[in-house]
Amino acid sequence: MKKLLFLLIALCSTLFVQAQNEVMKVNLGDTVVTFKIADIHEITFGVEEEAPADTTLFHSFNGYITVSTAYFTDSYYGDAAKLAVYRTSAGEFIVTFSDPVWGEAFFGHVSVGRELQATGIIAMDNHRGGVTEYDATLSGPMTTPVITIPTVMGGTSITFHVGAAPEALKVAGQHKGSMSVMVGGQFGPYTNESVTHTITANEDGTIDVTIPEYGLTGTVMGDLTLGTYTVKGLAWNEERQAFYRDYSADGLQMHFVAVKDGATTLDAIYDFSALGTLEVKTGEQGLTIVNNFQPGRMPFRVEATFVKSQGR
C-alpha cells in the first residue's frame, strides 16, 4: 500500500513538472509568440473593436443656403446653416452640415481636393415628432458645396454658400399678401387680400419687382383693375434700409380700367411720368412694398402698400 501511494505521488509530480514546462506557440504571420501554459489563466475569443479615430476640426463655416427641388428653384432658406470639416488621426476627412429647416447631415471618408466628394446621410424633421434619414451625396467646392437628396421632393439640392447672404437674395421669390390703397391721400383704404408680387434678385445686387394685375372694388371711381408691370433695377438704399427706385423716367405703362354702375368710364394705357417710386423693405411686419404712382395726367396720386402674409 505504501509503495502504491508513493508511485501515485511520483506520477503526479512528474505530470505537474511537465505541465509547468509546456508552452503554446501562436503564429501571427510575421512573428511567432510563445506563452507558457502555466502562465495562461484565461483565453477569450471575440472580435476586437476598432478604436475610434481622433478627429480635429479642420475648418468651420457659417453661411446661407439656396434650395432647388422638382417644385421650385434656387429658393433662399436663411442664413443659419453651418458646415464643418474634420480631419481624423488616420488622415481622412469628415464633413458635417446643419440647418434649422433642412436638418443635419454627416459625410465620412470625404475626398477633399478642388471639389468635395462623398456619400452620407441627412436626418430631417418628419413633422411627426421624429426624424427620417435619407441617403445623400456631397459635391462641389468647399465654399459652395452641394448636398443632393434624390428621394426628397422629387430630388432636392441644397447649396451652401459661405458668408452673409446678399440683401437681394433675402427678398427674392413670390410673395403673397394684402394690398391697401389710398387715393389722393384721403380716399380709402381700398383693399385686396390676395395679391402676389414676384421679386427677382440680379447679379449686380439689385432686384426686379413684378407688380401683378389686381382689382379694387367700391372706390370713388367705381371698381378698378390695375394692370401688371415690372420695375427693374431697384438698388439697396443704405439710408432707407430698403430697395428703392424712382421709375418715373423708365417709360413704364399700366393698363387701367374703371367701371362704375356697370359702365366702363376708363379703359386706357397710362404712364408714370408724373410720379412713380417703389420701395421694398423688411421689418417687424415682414416684407412690405410701397408703390407711389400717378397714372398719366390724372389729378390724384395713389399709394399702394403691400404686406406679405405671415408664413408665406
Side-chain angles (χ1 to χ4, degrees), residues 175-179 192-196 306-309 312:
H175 306 287
K176 185 176 182 179
S178 61
M179 185 75 83
N192 186 319
E193 297 298 325
S194 183
V195 178
T196 300
F306 168 85
V307 178
K308 181 180 179 180
S309 300
R312 295 187 180 182

Side-chain angles (χ1 to χ4, degrees), residues 284-306:
E284 293 182 358
Q285 287 184 301
L287 180 77
T288 61
I289 301 174
V290 179
N291 187 15
N292 286 285
F293 60 95
Q294 190 166 336
R297 296 181 179 277
M298 292 186 183
F300 52 81
R301 59 181 291 170
V302 179
E303 181 179 285
T305 302
F306 168 85

Side-chain angles (χ1 to χ4, degrees), residues 149-171:
I149 317 162
T151 57
V152 173
M153 299 180 71
T156 296
S157 296
I158 303 171
T159 302
F160 178 90
H161 306 263
V162 173
E167 294 294 335
L169 193 61
K170 293 180 181 180
V171 297

Side-chain angles (χ1 to χ4, degrees), residues 16 19 62 65 77-78 106 130 137 160 207 211 216 224 235 252 255 280 285:
F16 177 76
N62 294 328
I65 59 173
Y77 264 87
F106 177 89
T137 60
F160 178 90
I207 61 173
I211 299 166
L216 298 171
L224 309 181
L252 297 178
H255 186 198
V280 178
Q285 287 184 301

Side-chain angles (χ1 to χ4, degrees), residues 107-124:
F107 299 93
H109 307 290
V110 180
S111 174
V112 176
R114 294 186 65 180
E115 294 197 351
L116 303 174
Q117 292 288 340
T119 58
I121 58 171
I122 186 167
M124 301 168 59

Side-chain angles (χ1 to χ4, degrees), residues 2-16:
K2 289 183 178 180
K3 290 182 178 181
L4 179 60
L5 181 60
F6 176 79
L7 289 173
L8 289 174
I9 293 172
L11 178 61
C12 290
S13 298
T14 301
L15 292 174
F16 177 76

